[in-house]
Amino acid sequence: MFTAVSKKNLSDEIGDQIINKILSGVLCPGDKLPPERDLSLQMNVNRHTLREALRKLDTLGLLSIRQGDGIYIRDFRESGNLELLKHILYLRKDITSDIMKNILEIRRYISPEMAYRAAQNRSDEESEHLKSLLKQELPVEEKDLAIHQSIARGSGNILYIFILNFFNDIFRDFGALYFSFKENQEASEKFHKNIVKAITEKNPDLAKKIMNEILVYAENITLKYMENKYEKI
Amino acid sequence: MFTAVSKKNLSDEIGDQIINKILSGVLCPGDKLPPERDLSLQMNVNRHTLREALRKLDTLGLLSIRQGDGIYIRDFRESGNLELLKHILYLRKDITSDIMKNILEIRRYISPEMAYRAAQNRSDEESEHLKSLLKQELPVEEKDLAIHQSIARGSGNILYIFILNFFNDIFRDFGALYFSFKENQEASEKFHKNIVKAITEKNPDLAKKIMNEILVYAENITLKYMENKYEKI
DNA sequence: TTGGTGTAATGGTTCAACCAATAATCAAAA
DNA sequence: TTTTGATTATTGGTTGAACCATTACACCAA
């Protein structure tokens, strides 16, 4: 019904401001930032608050901080990570359908392989967990998340877990729209049943095929929604 | 000849210490950390220094910090990102061959698709850039990095760029070993020539095939090195 | 049971000062 | 002239104390 409001602390605001300056080209890779003391004065915040913001941007691969020297803008195309991309997308508020296409495309390459591996490598516990998830009375959205996570864990490749987290963060807002349509809910429920069966029966090829099908379906739907979003709202 | 020593500041050490506590199970998801004031006292550092460490772990998806409430350990399997995985791998110093297998496997799925897209979508500038890279007299290692980056940019999908950065960070140390062998250098040079040709000629299937071949080759070699590493050193 | 009120706990921010690493400069030595 | 080493200014790193803002919790009143 209502959506949560986001509360940002000062240092996050500072960080966003700097990111925006970099994205808009005001600050370029290689540029040296003013000293912390100056910068905090310019922004009218305390140096510590600024430092916490800088620390975050550093973690995102956006800055290079060197004691005794200074703070430099890094080229995020060379040093940025997916976490930074996520921040950028959230910052812009509206994810363009171009970017969404990119994300969905990568997911379509990766997730079927993940399902394949899960069907190969799943432990018996993971299999039981999947089956118990099927029976649980949960909102489709939560169930979908849980099943994908379980598949990732069953794959035996820890990277899938972290990559999946990225997708989940991106789709968190979009999922509500997607699952608000009954036909999508039904498609997902059918998918859940089938993929759990394939993985339980250790049928990698089938699992891969099933995962691919639901992703292609969701991809088309999602892009359609995005193109029509101005009509709907 | 000599390898660079890594200098860590206090707050990074603190952060690593906390990460280790989480990985070793001393701190579990859902656990509440002691208040900043207590924790800084326990660790014998200033509260600000501690806060910078916490800020970093928060960015890595490892903590949930709530003003007025407290600091909670998140389940990194649900909220962690690839950047966190990178930190974990660096922390443990030795990347086990299991993890390396996982990483190489994912790369083998992703990079050929990236090459495919690059051959489809490349701009003329990117094509020229690739060709000029080929001619440049550079250490193989650098050239290899630059060519992969150029392919990622030419793919038209921004995600490839960030995913590639992850791989590069992981393989940075390993590349030196790999490229120290003449046969690998030659394999890479041949690969560079062929992939640039395929992309320039807009032949997606060929580009994909070539990329896949070098990755399979490098994957086998790398894993072989890892298994024998105790003999070599 | 619900909604308000006050209090304690806890993260967020500010201020002022000093420590430590780096770069730039310049003088002495080769 | 070139190289080496000391000096100095700049800049990030750390510390300590104080206060602000939000939250959880216990309590009270309707």
Side-chain angles (χ1 to χ4, degrees):
Chain A
M1 176 77 96
F2 295 101
T3 59
V5 297
S6 68
K7 287 158 288 187
K8 271 183 191 166
N9 50 31
L10 249 183
S11 87
D12 278 331
E13 276 182 44
I14 297 169
D16 288 348
Q17 197 178 325
I18 296 176
I19 292 183
N20 275 325
K21 285 269 184 297
I22 294 174
L23 292 179
S24 65
V26 178
L27 293 171
C28 299
D31 281 0
K32 189 174 184 175
L33 246 55
E36 291 180 351
R37 291 164 178 83
D38 296 357
L39 203 53
S40 64
L41 218 64
Q42 277 185 44
M43 292 189 162
N44 195 32
V45 295
N46 187 268
R47 199 178 144 209
H48 285 297
T49 309
L50 170 68
R51 277 177 62 80
E52 289 187 21
L54 296 176
R55 176 46 81 121
K56 178 174 173 177
L57 300 192
D58 178 46
T59 304
L60 293 174
L62 212 52
L63 295 179
S64 171
I65 305 177
R66 296 200 290 265
Q67 179 174 1
D69 185 354
I71 302 171
Y72 296 85
I73 312 283
R74 301 179 70 180
D75 185 345
F76 63 84
R77 293 184 308 168
E78 290 174 8
S79 59
N81 52 54
L82 283 179
E83 203 54 21
L84 172 63
L85 178 62
K86 208 170 76 186
H87 269 80
I88 293 175
L89 295 180
Y90 273 117
L91 216 59
R92 294 202 176 155
K93 286 299 176 195
D94 68 320
I95 300 182
T96 68
S97 80
D98 276 349
I99 297 270
M100 184 57 90
K101 261 182 203 161
N102 290 344
I103 297 173
L104 291 168
E105 177 185 316
I106 302 271
R107 187 173 68 149
R108 178 159 38 82
Y109 294 148
I110 293 182
S111 285
E113 301 292 349
M114 174 180 81
Y116 186 95
R117 285 299 189 195
Q120 275 189 323
N121 301 334
R122 67 160 185 77
S123 65
D124 290 340
E125 294 112 285
E126 208 66 56
S127 180
E128 288 306 314
H129 183 235
L130 273 172
K131 280 193 276 187
S132 77
L133 273 177
L134 262 192
K135 289 175 203 154
Q136 277 178 45
E137 289 287 344
L138 276 176
V140 205
E141 207 170 331
E142 284 180 39
K143 188 184 276 196
D144 193 65
L145 205 90
I147 287 184
H148 276 92
Q149 262 177 358
S150 184
I151 296 174
R153 289 173 194 178
S155 73
N157 187 333
I158 193 176
L159 262 77
Y160 284 124
I161 296 175
F162 292 99
I163 294 175
L164 187 68
N165 285 342
F166 171 78
F167 292 134
N168 288 340
D169 282 340
I170 298 289
F171 297 137
R172 183 152 297 152
D173 302 328
F174 236 90
L177 175 60
Y178 178 84
F179 285 112
S180 69
F181 292 89
K182 187 132 185 251
E183 68 234 46
N184 297 341
Q185 285 189 23
E186 286 167 358
S188 281
E189 277 160 9
K190 191 177 152 205
F191 158 71
H192 295 158
K193 220 177 59 184
N194 291 338
I195 192 89
V196 169
K197 185 157 181 287
I199 291 176
T200 303
E201 293 174 352
K202 295 206 171 192
N203 189 336
D205 288 309
L206 181 59
K208 180 173 175 177
K209 178 167 167 286
I210 292 170
M211 179 65 89
N212 188 65
E213 278 170 5
I214 189 73
L215 291 184
V216 169
Y217 171 82
E219 190 168 342
N220 289 331
I221 298 266
T222 303
L223 291 177
K224 202 169 288 170
Y225 290 163
M226 293 203 71
E227 284 161 16
N228 298 335
K229 86 171 167 185
Y230 295 108
E231 300 172 25
K232 287 175 186 295
I233 300 175
Chain B
M1 176 77 98
F2 296 100
T3 60
V5 297
S6 68
K7 284 160 290 184
K8 271 183 190 165
N9 50 29
L10 250 183
S11 86
D12 277 332
E13 276 183 43
I14 297 169
D16 288 348
Q17 197 178 325
I18 296 175
I19 292 182
N20 275 325
K21 284 270 184 296
I22 295 174
L23 293 180
S24 65
V26 179
L27 293 170
C28 300
D31 281 0
K32 190 174 182 175
L33 246 54
E36 291 181 350
R37 291 165 178 82
D38 296 358
L39 203 53
S40 64
L41 219 65
Q42 277 186 43
M43 292 189 162
N44 196 30
V45 296
N46 188 268
R47 197 175 147 213
H48 286 298
T49 309
L50 171 68
R51 277 177 61 80
E52 289 187 21
L54 296 176
R55 174 48 76 126
K56 179 174 173 177
L57 299 193
D58 178 45
T59 305
L60 293 175
L62 212 52
L63 296 179
S64 171
I65 305 176
R66 296 200 290 266
Q67 179 173 1
D69 185 355
I71 302 171
Y72 296 85
I73 311 282
R74 300 179 72 179
D75 186 345
F76 63 84
R77 294 183 309 168
E78 289 173 8
S79 58
N81 52 54
L82 283 179
E83 203 55 19
L84 172 62
L85 179 62
K86 208 171 76 186
H87 270 80
I88 293 175
L89 296 181
Y90 273 117
L91 216 59
R92 295 202 175 155
K93 285 301 174 193
D94 67 319
I95 300 182
T96 68
S97 80
D98 275 350
I99 297 268
M100 184 58 91
K101 261 183 203 162
N102 289 344
I103 297 172
L104 292 169
E105 177 185 316
I106 302 269
R107 186 172 70 149
R108 178 158 40 82
Y109 293 148
I110 293 182
S111 285
E113 300 293 349
M114 174 179 82
Y116 185 95
R117 286 298 189 197
Q120 274 188 324
N121 301 335
R122 67 159 186 76
S123 65
D124 289 341
E125 293 112 285
E126 209 67 56
S127 179
E128 287 306 314
H129 183 234
L130 273 171
K131 280 193 276 187
S132 77
L133 273 177
L134 262 192
K135 289 175 201 154
Q136 276 178 46
E137 290 286 344
L138 276 175
V140 205
E141 207 170 331
E142 283 180 41
K143 188 185 276 196
D144 192 64
L145 204 91
I147 286 184
H148 276 91
Q149 261 177 0
S150 183
I151 294 174
R153 289 174 195 178
S155 73
N157 187 334
I158 193 175
L159 262 76
Y160 285 124
I161 296 174
F162 292 98
I163 295 175
L164 187 68
N165 285 342
F166 171 78
F167 292 134
N168 287 341
D169 282 340
I170 299 289
F171 297 136
R172 184 152 298 152
D173 302 328
F174 236 88
L177 175 60
Y178 179 84
F179 285 112
S180 69
F181 292 88
K182 187 130 187 260
E183 68 234 48
N184 297 342
Q185 285 190 23
E186 286 168 358
S188 281
E189 277 161 8
K190 191 177 153 205
F191 157 71
H192 295 158
K193 220 177 58 182
N194 290 337
I195 192 88
V196 169
K197 186 158 180 286
I199 291 176
T200 302
E201 293 174 352
K202 295 208 172 191
N203 189 336
D205 288 309
L206 181 59
K208 181 173 173 176
K209 178 167 168 286
I210 292 170
M211 179 65 88
N212 188 64
E213 277 170 6
I214 189 73
L215 290 184
V216 169
Y217 171 81
E219 190 169 341
N220 289 331
I221 298 266
T222 304
L223 291 177
K224 202 170 289 171
Y225 290 163
M226 293 203 72
E227 285 162 15
N228 299 335
K229 86 171 167 185
Y230 296 107
E231 300 172 25
K232 288 175 184 296
I233 299 173

